[in-house]
Amino acid sequence: MGLMLTGISGCGTASNDEVSTEQKEELITVGFSQLGAESDWRVANTASIQNSLTRQNGFELMFDDAQQKQDKQFIAIRNFTQQEVDCIVLAPVMETGWDTVLQEAKDAGIPVVVVDRQVKVTDTDLVTAWVGSDFTKEAKVACEWLKAYTETKGIEPGELNIVDIQGTLGATAQIGRTNGIVEASGKYGWNLIAQVPADYTQAKGKEVMANLLAEHPEINVVYAENDNEAIGAIEAIEEAGKTAGTDISKGEILVISFDAAHSGLSKVLEGKIGLDVECNPLQGEEVEKLVKAVKAGTEFNKYTYVKESAFAADDTVKSVTVNGEEYEITVLTDSILSNREY
């Protein structure tokens, strides 16, 4: 879908961090409001965007860490608006509540590029473009893998006792991943016995899992909505004297995760996470292209989905079909992990 933003001047570039006043005036000024640093994924996402929006690439970047607080993002966006930046890049805490502050940016003639999570606004023109992941598809890949995996192992649907450790409630990733496991459980006859948010953090994931194990000793599948929650859950599982692994029939607890950051994939390699569905944080290059296109008034895509994969501890399931498309499941190896960028 091609859009064009007109009436905005072209951009210049800088060869190094020490630029002249004239060169600095030619840089594209960008205000980047990042929701926080709650996970390994988020840290990689921040680094990717910061490494792309550099002076060498023609940008003057202002960065603000909201510490997972939406009101801090409101303040940051208003500050960027007052400073008359050329573009605002927003990684939102949650989907709702953005109409007023984004309207202020629009009234000031400042385009907004949203990354990762999405926003729900009355006027869709408040968002110039979006870059991120298809969280609904990620969830479907995970659930179809679980279905195929357990069927191959001879495990009946009614034998699955699943807990969903949710992300930050209201975040696009949480909504897509939660809806995925809810729909699949109803469709395939799985027992989804509890859903508790852990805000995508390892400490909270561990706390939530410890409480869930105490209340539901029958748990044999953990659907963690990101790697840090999964790692925390594994810590709780092991401290409870149980085993995180892929053999449900022998009493192991099968952990499914999302993000495929290095920390999570390390657990896949150890056999403690059965499947890790990638949520690619390396969005900086696409953001750079979009901001430059917006600034130059050339065509660009309103929605850009980044490429992603899924990694398993073994080759029990080689592929799954989602919405009529086949998705390969990659068996993780040391070589693959060592060559990953994050």
Side-chain angles (χ1 to χ4, degrees):
M1 177 179 181
L3 298 180
M4 182 175 288
L5 191 68
T6 58
I8 300 179
S9 61
C11 65
T13 60
S15 60
N16 52 55
D17 285 339
E18 297 300 323
V19 296
S20 67
T21 301
E22 182 179 350
Q23 287 173 314
K24 189 171 182 179
E25 288 176 353
E26 293 177 346
L27 297 175
I28 302 173
T29 57
V30 177
F32 175 26
S33 174
Q34 178 60 280
L35 66 91
E38 81 289 351
S39 63
D40 296 339
W41 188 99
R42 187 66 51 193
V43 172
N45 179 248
T46 297
S48 176
I49 294 172
Q50 288 177 325
N51 291 339
S52 291
L53 303 186
T54 62
R55 285 187 172 183
Q56 290 90 338
N57 290 338
F59 299 92
E60 183 71 26
L61 180 63
M62 289 176 276
F63 174 76
D64 185 86
D65 181 341
Q67 300 175 328
Q68 293 187 272
K69 296 184 182 349
Q70 190 179 39
D71 59 344
K72 288 184 178 292
Q73 293 200 287
F74 293 160
I75 293 170
I77 291 171
R78 289 192 167 107
N79 285 339
F80 295 149
T81 301
Q82 289 170 3
Q83 294 176 70
E84 299 181 339
V85 299
D86 293 314
C87 184
I88 291 171
V89 175
L90 168 64
V93 173
M94 59 186 66
E95 289 191 347
T96 58
W98 298 100
D99 288 85
T100 300
V101 70
L102 293 189
Q103 184 66 55
E104 292 168 8
K106 182 184 178 183
D107 291 343
I110 300 172
V112 176
V113 174
V114 176
V115 299
D116 180 32
R117 304 171 185 179
Q118 297 189 12
V119 297
K120 286 185 176 178
V121 286
T122 304
D123 178 5
T124 57
D125 287 340
L126 297 181
V127 175
T128 305
W130 171 86
V131 177
S133 300
D134 188 335
F135 303 112
T136 299
K137 185 175 76 175
E138 290 175 1
K140 288 182 178 179
V141 169
C143 292
E144 290 305 312
W145 178 88
L146 178 60
K147 176 179 182 290
Y149 190 89
T150 52
E151 285 179 349
T152 301
K153 297 294 184 180
I155 299 168
E156 295 296 325
E159 296 177 39
L160 296 185
N161 298 311
I162 305 168
V163 291
D164 174 15
I165 302 181
Q166 300 167 296
T168 302
L169 296 181
T172 311
Q174 176 272 314
I175 294 169
R177 292 169 188 168
T178 294
N179 287 346
I181 191 63
V182 170
E183 291 172 7
S185 295
K187 181 178 180 180
Y188 298 132
W190 301 336
N191 300 316
L192 182 58
I193 57 180
Q195 294 179 280
V196 184
D199 297 326
Y200 294 120
T201 68
Q202 188 166 328
K204 189 69 173 178
K206 181 177 180 179
E207 176 188 331
V208 165
M209 189 65 206
N211 291 336
L212 287 170
L213 284 169
E215 296 172 14
H216 305 282
E218 72 276 19
I219 293 169
N220 55 15
V221 177
V222 175
Y223 180 92
E225 294 189 12
N226 86 332
D227 283 340
N228 289 84
E229 291 178 339
I231 293 167
I234 290 167
E235 291 174 351
I237 289 167
E238 293 177 343
E239 289 183 10
K242 298 177 180 289
T243 301
T246 58
D247 198 340
I248 294 175
S249 62
K250 291 186 178 179
E252 295 183 343
I253 297 176
L254 177 63
V255 178
I256 293 172
S257 185
F258 296 87
D259 283 359
H262 194 280
S263 56
L265 291 181
S266 295
K267 297 300 181 185
V268 175
L269 210 54
E270 294 173 22
K272 295 182 179 182
I273 291 178
L275 179 76
D276 202 344
V277 180
E278 183 177 29
C279 180
N280 188 352
L282 306 181
Q283 300 168 358
E285 185 177 335
E286 294 295 340
V287 172
E288 178 188 348
K289 292 177 185 175
L290 272 172
V291 174
K292 285 183 174 178
V294 168
K295 179 71 172 174
T298 56
E299 287 191 353
F300 58 89
N301 291 323
K302 175 84 171 181
Y303 300 98
T304 301
Y305 289 96
V306 291
K307 295 180 180 179
E308 297 173 328
S309 303
F311 302 91
D314 61 40
D315 65 353
T316 301
V317 179
K318 293 178 173 56
S319 68
V320 297
T321 300
V322 173
N323 299 331
E325 288 188 65
E326 187 175 2
Y327 294 90
E328 181 183 358
I329 304 297
T330 301
V331 178
L332 188 65
T333 63
D334 283 305
S335 176
I336 292 173
L337 183 57
S338 63
N339 287 304
R340 297 272 294 171
E341 292 186 58
Y342 65 97

